[in-house]
Amino acid sequence: FQITAKLEEFIDRGLDIAVVHADLDNFKAFNDHYGFMRGDTVIKFTARTLLDASDFVDDPVGFVGHVGGDDFVAIVTAGNAEEFCKRIVATFDDGILDHYDTADALQGYIEVTDRRGERHAFPICSLSMGVATSERRRLSSEWEAWSIASEMTEVANRTSGTNYQIDRRT
């Protein structure tokens, strides 16, 4: 509810904002392999990474929310979106390996056995971010902003590793 309220407020005020949808890649495999307690530490680490990036860019509208599961949303001033995302990429990739056993971190993946007893390799968790911004076109509603950010997250998901895609359409 708080996420929707913030989005509505910023859009209604006509602020130049960027809505960032952040999705943890390979989190389910991590959770299955290490258990939900360690999975929770990765969720907290991700939230802290987004909050620290918001502090780093010293954004006047900076807001970070946990949508649920492995999804997060952040709202920053449109002009800060690129710097915000770059900071997240550097910080996330620098710290995520601390959550893995040394052997898994060194090999760069974990192995998870599925319900049929088949083993699958999953890369280290990364973060894919999609950004909707009002910089080039007006965002008319929180639904439109979320839809565009989610669409851009799907584009970011096509590239391995922590990355972001900003909607630059007019």
Side-chain angles (χ1 to χ4, degrees), residues 8-149:
E8 284 176 0
E9 173 194 341
F10 294 153
I11 288 171
D12 289 348
R13 288 174 49 197
L15 296 178
D16 226 3
I17 60 168
V19 178
V20 181
H21 172 220
D23 177 45
L24 268 168
D25 305 315
N26 303 309
F27 178 70
K28 183 182 180 327
F30 180 95
N31 225 24
D32 290 349
H33 185 74
Y34 289 116
F36 74 92
M37 293 294 285
R38 276 179 70 179
D40 194 48
T41 66
V42 170
I43 294 293
K44 289 175 183 173
F45 164 72
T46 304
R48 175 56 39 210
T49 299
L50 271 69
L51 288 166
D52 289 349
S54 182
D55 289 345
F56 179 79
V57 299
D58 195 24
D59 198 276
V61 300
F63 173 84
V64 173
H66 183 210
V67 177
D70 60 1
D71 290 298
F72 296 83
V73 66
I75 306 168
V76 295
T77 305
N80 283 337
E82 188 102 32
E83 185 180 5
F84 175 77
C85 290
K86 284 180 180 178
R87 181 68 177 192
I88 291 167
V89 170
T91 307
F92 186 88
D93 284 348
D94 191 46
I96 190 63
L97 290 176
D98 294 344
H99 300 276
Y100 284 80
D101 290 348
T102 303
D104 294 335
L106 289 172
Q107 71 184 2
Y109 63 91
I110 56 175
E111 290 186 357
V112 178
T113 305
D114 68 16
R115 292 178 185 157
R116 291 186 257 170
E118 297 175 15
R119 295 173 63 95
H120 300 276
F122 290 89
I124 300 298
C125 285
S126 57
L127 199 59
S128 294
M129 294 173 283
V131 184
T133 177
S134 62
E135 204 164 40
R136 295 180 184 218
R137 66 174 166 169
R138 185 178 175 280
L139 297 173
S140 60
S141 71
E142 72 275 9
W143 304 111
E144 179 184 34
W146 186 251
S147 176
I148 293 168

